[in-house]
Amino acid sequence: MVTTPTRGSSRKPASKPGAGNAAASAGGQRPSAPPRQPRAAWLVKAKVLLDRADGADREPSGFSYYLILGSALALTAIGLLMVLSSSAVESIAEGASPFDLFMKQGLFAAGGIILMLVLSRLSIPTYKKLGWPALGLSLALLVLVFTPLGVNVNGNRNWIQLAPGVTAQPSEAAKLALGLWIACILVRKGPLLHEWKHLVVPVLPVGGLVVLLVLAGNDLGTAMIIMLIVAGALFFGGARMKLFAIAGATAVAGVLLLAITSPNRVARITMWLDQSCDDTTGLNMQSCNGLFALASGGWWGVGLGQSRQKYSWIPEAHNDYIFAIIGEELGLLGTLVVVALFGILAVAIVRTVMRRDDPFVRIFGGAIMVWIIGQAFVNMGVVTGLLPVIGVPLPFISYGGSALTITLAAVGVLLSFARPDAKRAAQAKKVQRA
């Protein structure tokens, strides 16, 4: 917390109004005003409230570190359990082991946790050095999608073949790399950010390039999340709301144009507006059967593993619509637990970001929070019928090795930001015991 120094008796009295102007006139030069820093009033107010709530005058407890770690691991465990429950039936029908997808997801979870622990030990200067290399590597991987290594899945060309039966989705890595790069750029520009052109260039052109590469693979959902990451980074970087109004209107117009030029997307939007489930054999099959699953779950659910909608009624039940299976098997209570864990994660990230004075932590951590929490909100909104069907997985829970690994890597970054508080708290406890 920043404190105001006490006035001393030897302090010189303030000069009279106009004295400075007279001196400037006598010298023939007028002193230039310091560059105006971008300020977000809500950031200052939020920091004051968090300081009061956390007791900024006391030693940090490191509580946020364990909240981030605990909520992320809990969501990952729930995801593994639900992937097993929702995929076992179809795996058996295809002649494979009921543990097939569960084992694959478990391997990616183990790799993601190892990567999370490694990244949690890196320092902020190290992250700043990785900004440009991470962006370059992610762009190269996005381009590889359109080479013979690219794989087309359900009309989307957003995967590359790493080995027989092993694919990766470069757009997931691009989310983390783009957030890191934007934080590096905005911090380096520093005092120049009060000028809109320094906020826009080169952030929006590079962000637009990443979005275009993802859209070229016909993945509108992931492109929208990347737009959200760019907007979140600029927001925490102190961009004026006028810039968001212009950029937001442009983005909405572009999304609507892409939607109305695709017959499939127009049909999905029309069915979403209709909200009719009289016929569930068309494009509304996923959305309507997802609502049926949530309704049949009731308060307490039909029991773990007892879902009926996963018997081919909901296509890819272990993926984008896994939240519906949670609602059917574990009921409203199970869905509220998932929502609460995401809420705990969001609060812990805000506590971590707002307690650090480093703008790099604020921008990068804020971008990660907007990405994970925003994507979770979009997925839940789609499953509950609040939004039209968009192919966006539920972080930590939906099946997908690339998404899980990169999301856990992002958690590792957040842990590295929260680790100093936890370390100081541990040292303070050792001193007290001694």
Side-chain angles (χ1 to χ4, degrees), residues 38-51 354 362:
R39 292 181 181 179
W42 76 272
L43 285 173
V44 178
K45 294 179 180 178
K47 182 172 177 58
V48 172
L49 291 175
L50 285 172
D51 286 345
M354 301 307 297
R362 184 178 70 244

Side-chain angles (χ1 to χ4, degrees), residues 169 171-176 219-229 319-320 323 338 342 345 366-383 387 390-400 402-404 406-407 410:
Q169 192 172 2
S171 57
E172 293 295 331
K175 295 176 183 178
L176 184 60
D219 192 352
L220 179 59
T222 300
M224 292 174 63
I225 299 300
I226 293 176
M227 293 179 196
L228 194 63
I229 293 172
N319 205 329
D320 298 345
F323 189 70
V338 173
F342 277 111
L345 180 61
I368 292 174
M369 182 188 69
V370 170
W371 158 26
I372 296 177
I373 306 302
Q375 184 169 320
F377 173 80
V378 170
N379 178 273
M380 295 177 189
V382 168
V383 174
L387 297 173
I390 304 172
V392 174
L394 185 59
F396 300 105
I397 297 179
S398 292
Y399 177 78
S402 300
L404 179 59
I406 298 301
T407 305

